[in-house]
Amino acid sequence: MQLRDIITDKERLFLEKDVPEVYKTDFSYKEVATVHAVALPNTTQEVIDLVKFANKENIPIIARGAGTGVAGSQVPISGGELIIDVHQMNRILALDEETMTLTVEPGVKLNEIQVFVESKGYFYPPDPGSKNSTIGGNIATNAGGMRAVKYGTTRDYVRELEVVLPEGEKVTLGSLNIKSSSGYDLKNLFIGSEGTLGITTKIKLKVLPLPKYKQSVLLAFHTLKDATNGVLAILQNGIEPTALELFERGTIEYSEKYTKVLLQSQKGEAYVLMTIDSNEEETVTRKIDTVESILKGQAVEIIPLFTQEEEEKAWLLRDNILVALMQFTEYEMLDEVVPINKFSEMIDYTKELQTKHGLKVINFGHAGDGNIHTVLMKEGLDEATWQVRRQALLDDLYKKVNELGGLPSAEHGIGIIKKPYLEKMCNPVELDLMRKIKNAIDPDTRLNPGKLF
Amino acid sequence: MQLRDIITDKERLFLEKDVPEVYKTDFSYKEVATVHAVALPNTTQEVIDLVKFANKENIPIIARGAGTGVAGSQVPISGGELIIDVHQMNRILALDEETMTLTVEPGVKLNEIQVFVESKGYFYPPDPGSKNSTIGGNIATNAGGMRAVKYGTTRDYVRELEVVLPEGEKVTLGSLNIKSSSGYDLKNLFIGSEGTLGITTKIKLKVLPLPKYKQSVLLAFHTLKDATNGVLAILQNGIEPTALELFERGTIEYSEKYTKVLLQSQKGEAYVLMTIDSNEEETVTRKIDTVESILKGQAVEIIPLFTQEEEEKAWLLRDNILVALMQFTEYEMLDEVVPINKFSEMIDYTKELQTKHGLKVINFGHAGDGNIHTVLMKEGLDEATWQVRRQALLDDLYKKVNELGGLPSAEHGIGIIKKPYLEKMCNPVELDLMRKIKNAIDPDTRLNPGKLF
């Protein structure tokens, strides 16, 4: 059997030289490795047949969705890979209101899920910045996003996964049962494994009732330090925000330029964009009043976003930071996370590194859960200087992350880009356990070779 | 090195014939296998030394806590085991209010954790029936309990685990970071693995702020069917109860006899004991009012438990069901779970089986999360008849559980008792994955041999 016998539509199969360039990159990383083929299956059976074909021919496999990853996880590096692009497996299959679950194929985009469930009165809380990412990719990296501080990450909303294993066997992991003490938790092992253990072909997601009321507030601060102090004050006063995003003026400016929209506040050096939701209108009002009274002295401006239009404007700016950076500048975006009580210290340290290494550093991030997207700006530097300074800065930065009990990636994954830092920061015994598991499930290193560790 | 060199206190080491009988049993299962020794370490280093000793001498190991398990997980079956009883590693080490985490040793009892954190204004939600169980055991079975319907199970409250691996290496899994996309999720793999992958020696638990208000209500129903319908009505109306326990009159009678206390309602065949909590007093009141108005026509009696004394009385009766059964009767308690929309059908079916097999069946369980503790009563039956009827009934029952998409164990674990049913109900590909992982991490089958699969 040949690939043409498995994927019979011409427009769903690209061979060697016909492979579009886009398949050699993601949003962060480009390789020049030659790809054997790109196949776009429509069904689980086609995925199985492709995996079995690759086993027979001894070809490595990379599963891919929207290609919006930022760690190089989907990029071919060993050469000769078969890329299985599942983005055409994009049907929303069922909403089961009795078990509050949504069944989808892996190529459905996050934004489509959010719009669909909200139209039915439900809520899918995970909210990564890239709304065009696929749910399959969100599962591969355990994507987090804006609302993790209150609602958790993708992991917390996956009830059941259908997975094709490295040799082409199909298995269902997890279930609709709310409790389980019936064997090893394989579902959580596969979530966040960056396509190294299996290819997700169907997912049952947990949805919640849509909260009845929500409101956002924009808080402007003189300094970044004032903003991180404000974040801690909000968390320590039991506000339980749905989202608590921090960004610097120097970060949001890119987004203003890209969207041609100005943020509601132009004062101060740093901002916190907060949302509160609840089923009780009074709870939303009371919490926002509390935040105003706590931060009155510390903030330059406190701007409640009363209309849906105002709220959408602020969140549009926040959501477009990454796309704007891609448009206007050369940069490297990080994804470090530290325990919440170390958040302020970590942010301060990135600014020390800016001075120490002569490399402009801006930050944005999910302040409520200690996840910082530090961005190193290449600006006018020549390639050689950039590489030297970048490397020295990264070495310092990840050393600090490690000292503070943090991790190299909160939600983007390790991929290729962060491999050396995972290896440095992770206990060798733990890394060895990961390798043993990889080897037990994928002894031929069929899936996504060279990624993660 | 001999065991006496590792555990030098005489009272912390029992050899062969001196091993107390209690170590050959748990709350459900007894074996006559000869135990090599029982050691009671005080430190992680002693656990490591014991595991290394067992490797050198090729002795299998069972880790044990309070011995309150009900699936035979801690019972020696192969003969010649070294039992490592961690119940003396029972210190509460630290409450960190900044990260809202509690650090404990594995031998700390659930009840001690609950009392300690509540005295500081915090809340540890998992609430298995056996308050004397150890936290190490709760982690080994991913124990659930009463409040899982709103707050989840033990898994959801473990931030970090220190584990001694099968060859004596120590590793820390998980972290204080709220998000992670930094390699495989090993923490969740170890939680619920029933001591087959490692021995937990230190735990960091997530705690929440203690909700300011709570109230319980006792609902009495004419029939079991009315009670399960009542449960569904409560869930479908968005009440989000903290606990939603169902029990039959025939079940709670054992507890009344044992505690010499009568339940506040003596009417009807079945009861639902519900708790609501919130930080807003009005929310509690409003939800209880809603339940009363929904169930006015269906319930025989609706009794709000206004005082702490009344509330404690009802919960004491609920919590003592298992102990009372152990005291007064011979029985087998099951732990099946089904998706919540199949709960009523499953409960009905247990009553059909009572008639079909001539074996008295009573139920209690965590109605809010589809977890039923069906109890088969031996009563006056001779051993041979009991075994034949019991087996036939179990075969039917688990077949139905499987058909409804359920699992053999929600929170007690598979141990020895449910092994044949896990093997029947679990997809062979999934079981094979579990075996591969066990073999990769514990190639000599050092830890808890013969359990789970």
Side-chain angles (χ1 to χ4, degrees), chain A residues 98-99 141-142 145 155 177 179-182 184-185 196-197 280 286 337-339 341 366 371 405 409-411 413, chain B residues 98-99 141-142 145 155 177 179-182 184-185 196-197 280 286 337-339 341 366 371 405 409-411 413:
Chain A
E98 287 187 342
T99 58
T141 59
N142 183 28
R155 184 182 301 291
N177 298 289
K179 288 174 170 175
S180 171
S181 184
S182 301
Y184 297 161
D185 180 359
T196 62
L197 299 178
E280 322 281 329
R286 188 177 48 74
V337 59
V338 293
N341 58 337
H366 313 296
N371 175 198
S409 175
E411 53 184 19
Chain B
E98 287 189 340
T99 58
T141 59
N142 183 29
R155 182 183 301 290
N177 299 290
K179 287 174 169 173
S180 171
S181 184
S182 302
Y184 297 161
D185 180 1
T196 62
L197 299 178
E280 323 279 331
R286 188 179 46 74
V337 58
V338 292
N341 58 336
H366 313 298
N371 175 199
S409 175
E411 53 183 20

Side-chain angles (χ1 to χ4, degrees), chain A residues 96 98-99 140-146 148-149 153 155-156 165 167 169-186 188-194 196-197 236 240 279-280 282-283 286-287 335 337-342 366 368-371 404-414 422 426-427 429-438 440-441 443 452-453, chain B residues 96 98-99 140-146 148-149 153 155-156 165 167 169-186 188-194 196-197 236 240 279-280 282-283 286-287 335 337-342 366 368-371 404-414 422 426-427 429-438 440-441 443 452-453:
Chain A
D96 179 355
E98 287 187 342
T99 58
T141 59
N142 183 28
M146 321 289 179
V149 54
T153 62
R155 184 182 301 291
D156 300 303
L165 297 174
E167 292 176 14
E169 284 166 305
K170 187 175 76 172
V171 67
T172 299
L173 307 175
S175 73
L176 293 187
N177 298 289
I178 295 175
K179 288 174 170 175
S180 171
S181 184
S182 301
Y184 297 161
D185 180 359
L186 299 176
N188 273 306
L189 181 66
F190 277 68
I191 297 170
S193 66
E194 301 188 38
T196 62
L197 299 178
Q236 280 165 1
E240 285 191 284
N279 283 322
E280 322 281 329
E282 317 88 81
T283 303
R286 188 177 48 74
K287 287 188 173 184
D335 177 38
V337 59
V338 293
I340 190 64
N341 58 337
K342 308 294 183 189
H366 313 296
D369 38 54
N371 175 198
L404 297 179
L407 294 168
S409 175
E411 53 184 19
H412 294 165
I414 298 300
L422 183 71
C426 197
N427 182 309
V429 179
E430 188 179 357
L431 261 187
D432 183 52
L433 278 177
M434 291 185 199
R435 288 201 180 97
K436 281 177 176 166
I437 288 169
K438 166 70 176 174
I441 296 178
L452 243 181
F453 41 70
Chain B
D96 178 355
E98 287 189 340
T99 58
T141 59
N142 183 29
M146 320 290 179
V149 54
T153 62
R155 182 183 301 290
D156 301 302
L165 297 173
E167 292 176 13
E169 285 166 305
K170 187 174 79 171
V171 68
T172 299
L173 307 176
S175 73
L176 293 188
N177 299 290
I178 295 175
K179 287 174 169 173
S180 171
S181 184
S182 302
Y184 297 161
D185 180 1
L186 300 175
N188 273 306
L189 181 68
F190 277 68
I191 297 170
S193 66
E194 299 187 38
T196 62
L197 299 178
Q236 280 164 1
E240 285 190 284
N279 283 321
E280 323 279 331
E282 317 88 82
T283 304
R286 188 179 46 74
K287 287 187 172 183
D335 177 38
V337 58
V338 292
I340 190 63
N341 58 336
K342 308 293 183 191
H366 313 298
D369 38 54
N371 175 199
L404 297 179
L407 294 168
S409 175
E411 53 183 20
H412 294 165
I414 298 300
L422 182 71
C426 197
N427 181 310
V429 180
E430 188 180 357
L431 260 186
D432 183 51
L433 277 177
M434 292 185 198
R435 288 200 178 98
K436 281 177 177 168
I437 289 169
K438 167 71 175 173
I441 297 178
L452 242 180
F453 40 72

Side-chain angles (χ1 to χ4, degrees), chain A residues 217-246:
Chain A
V217 183
L218 179 66
L219 304 152
F221 295 90
H222 278 300
T223 65
L224 188 55
K225 184 78 194 163
D226 284 352
T228 57
N229 285 340
V231 163
L232 286 183
I234 290 167
L235 294 172
Q236 280 165 1
N237 279 276
I239 300 297
E240 285 191 284
T242 310
L244 196 62
E245 292 295 304
L246 176 137

Side-chain angles (χ1 to χ4, degrees), chain B residues 375-426:
Chain B
V375 185
L376 316 186
M377 308 295 283
K378 188 176 175 191
E379 301 212 303
L381 294 180
D382 62 88
E383 185 63 23
T385 310
W386 158 249
Q387 284 302 347
V388 169
R389 293 187 188 179
R390 168 193 167 274
Q391 194 56 58
L393 191 151
L394 288 178
D395 288 347
D396 276 355
L397 182 136
Y398 285 117
K399 189 156 166 266
K400 184 73 170 184
V401 170
N402 200 23
E403 279 167 21
L404 297 179
L407 294 168
S409 175
E411 53 183 20
H412 294 165
I414 298 300
I416 302 168
I417 293 177
K418 296 183 206 105
K419 257 174 72 175
Y421 295 104
L422 182 71
E423 279 171 24
K424 265 185 211 164
M425 291 166 70
C426 197

Side-chain angles (χ1 to χ4, degrees), chain B residues 20-27 29 38-39 41 61-69 73-76 82-88 106-107 134 136-137 195 199:
Chain B
E21 279 301 301
V22 68
Y23 284 103
K24 297 182 182 170
T25 184
D26 65 0
F27 272 24
Y29 192 84
V38 173
I61 296 171
I62 298 176
R64 184 181 170 104
T68 55
S73 273
Q74 305 96 64
V75 180
L82 167 64
I83 296 180
I84 300 182
D85 174 353
V86 299
H87 90 264
Q88 292 194 11
T134 61
I199 302 174

Side-chain angles (χ1 to χ4, degrees), chain B residues 133-287:
Chain B
S133 59
T134 61
I135 187 68
N138 286 190
I139 289 166
T141 59
N142 183 29
M146 320 290 179
R147 298 190 287 230
V149 54
K150 179 167 179 182
Y151 290 102
T153 62
T154 301
R155 182 183 301 290
D156 301 302
Y157 294 87
V158 177
R159 297 287 295 274
E160 194 179 290
L161 286 180
E162 180 186 87
V163 173
V164 175
L165 297 173
E167 292 176 13
E169 285 166 305
K170 187 174 79 171
V171 68
T172 299
L173 307 176
S175 73
L176 293 188
N177 299 290
I178 295 175
K179 287 174 169 173
S180 171
S181 184
S182 302
Y184 297 161
D185 180 1
L186 300 175
K187 181 190 75 180
N188 273 306
L189 181 68
F190 277 68
I191 297 170
S193 66
E194 299 187 38
T196 62
L197 299 178
I199 302 174
T200 302
T201 48
K202 196 159 74 185
I203 306 114
K204 285 188 197 291
L205 295 168
K206 173 168 107 176
V207 296
L208 302 181
L210 190 62
K212 291 196 185 109
Y213 303 95
K214 74 173 163 108
Q215 201 193 317
S216 296
V217 183
L218 179 65
L219 304 151
F221 296 89
H222 279 298
T223 64
L224 187 55
K225 183 77 191 164
D226 285 350
T228 57
N229 285 339
V231 162
L232 285 184
I234 291 167
L235 293 173
Q236 280 164 1
N237 281 276
I239 300 296
E240 285 190 284
T242 309
L244 196 62
E245 293 294 304
L246 177 137
F247 41 84
E248 295 186 60
R249 168 100 319 262
T251 310
I252 206 71
E253 271 167 4
Y254 285 96
S255 207
E256 289 179 329
K257 195 169 151 195
Y258 177 73
T259 59
K260 300 187 174 64
V261 166
L262 287 185
L263 187 67
Q264 284 92 340
S265 172
Q266 294 291 314
K267 294 183 186 165
E269 275 303 304
Y271 303 93
V272 171
L273 180 56
M274 178 184 77
T275 304
I276 305 286
D277 68 13
S278 174
N279 283 321
E280 323 279 331
E281 194 165 16
E282 317 88 82
T283 304
V284 175
T285 312
R286 188 179 46 74
K287 287 187 172 183

